[in-house]
Amino acid sequence: MNIYETCPVLENDKFLLRLTENDDCDDLLKVYSDKNALPFFNSDNCDGDNFYYATRERMVEALHFWNLSYKNRWFVRFSIVDKEVSSVIGTVELCLRVSEDEFNNMGILRVDVRSDYEKEEILYDIVALITPCLSEMLGCNGIITKAPIYAVERIKAIQKAGFTKSEHLLIGKTGYAYDGYWIMK
């Protein structure tokens, strides 16, 4: 399966993950304008974008860029739909890392959710939904995700999913070294 040929839809009893759509804008604005969620977003190596979008116009621009990035095979961004409330509560971004550091040919998993969803059980349900098929979708040797030391709920969720703290730093395209990465092989 090539994620850029056919983007899968993943689903469990609580969540549906599908390619982001322009119609997700208003729900995603609630995510990306949530100042309490902002510290949990992984913006490492993202050319200065911190993923704080306070206006609908800025969210529309982000959606346009995400869709363009998918067409250009840079990364894919899924919307996370909470099936109980039929609303988008965040996104999952996936890409394949090509680098000269310890994380070469690893899939990068970014999970952004509203702050009221930053809970161990919820994050585990989302991560456990996507991780089993990542190697097949991206053709990667393993998966990395970021969880800073203060992300207590997130760390518990990814540990439960099988991630372990990496001793290595992620070296960005400018040479900056980023900490806080967890790995699953």
Side-chain angles (χ1 to χ4, degrees):
M1 172 192 315
N2 182 329
I3 198 167
Y4 297 108
E5 298 290 329
T6 304
C7 189
V9 174
L10 305 171
E11 186 173 9
N12 60 22
D13 58 331
K14 296 176 185 169
F15 298 104
L16 174 93
L17 275 59
R18 56 153 172 77
L19 196 60
T20 55
E21 301 171 355
N22 290 335
D23 288 344
D24 299 336
C25 186
D26 292 334
D27 284 345
L28 287 175
L29 182 59
K30 294 173 188 170
V31 176
Y32 290 99
S33 66
D34 181 347
K35 291 180 183 176
N36 293 322
L38 185 62
F40 300 100
F41 299 164
N42 177 1
S43 60
D44 293 356
N45 231 19
C46 292
D47 300 316
D49 189 348
N50 68 358
F51 299 99
Y52 179 68
Y53 309 140
T55 66
R56 190 171 199 286
E57 293 72 28
R58 184 61 187 101
M59 192 70 245
V60 167
E61 289 173 9
L63 281 163
H64 175 74
F65 178 70
W66 296 345
N67 293 328
L68 178 68
S69 297
Y70 179 72
K71 288 177 186 163
N72 287 317
R73 299 172 177 240
W74 299 332
F75 61 82
V76 60
R77 194 166 289 253
F78 291 88
S79 288
I80 305 166
V81 179
D82 180 334
K83 291 166 59 173
E84 185 177 334
V85 294
S86 298
S87 126
V88 176
I89 55 87
T91 66
V92 169
E93 181 187 301
L94 305 175
C95 67
L96 182 65
R97 179 164 171 76
V98 178
S99 65
E100 297 193 17
D101 62 12
E102 297 295 324
F103 302 121
N104 184 44
N105 203 37
M106 301 289 285
I108 297 176
L109 169 65
R110 290 185 167 117
V111 179
D112 300 342
V113 294
R114 280 190 341 231
S115 59
D116 55 326
Y117 281 82
E118 186 70 29
K119 295 180 170 67
E120 176 187 356
E121 180 184 319
I122 293 169
L123 292 166
Y124 173 77
D125 285 342
I126 294 165
V127 170
L129 176 59
I130 194 130
T131 52
C133 48
L134 268 181
S135 293
E136 182 184 352
M137 287 191 293
L138 293 175
C140 55
N141 293 334
I143 308 160
I144 59 173
T145 194
K146 183 163 183 160
I149 59 171
Y150 55 81
V152 178
E153 297 288 315
R154 186 170 290 247
I155 289 170
K156 288 190 284 187
I158 62 176
Q159 283 179 315
K160 185 176 176 183
F163 284 84
T164 57
K165 179 82 168 93
S166 175
E167 60 191 47
H168 301 287
L169 300 175
L170 183 140
I171 308 303
K173 50 191 165 195
T174 63
Y176 186 85
Y178 298 98
D179 193 13
Y181 280 88
W182 294 69
I183 189 166
M184 174 192 282
K185 287 200 173 189

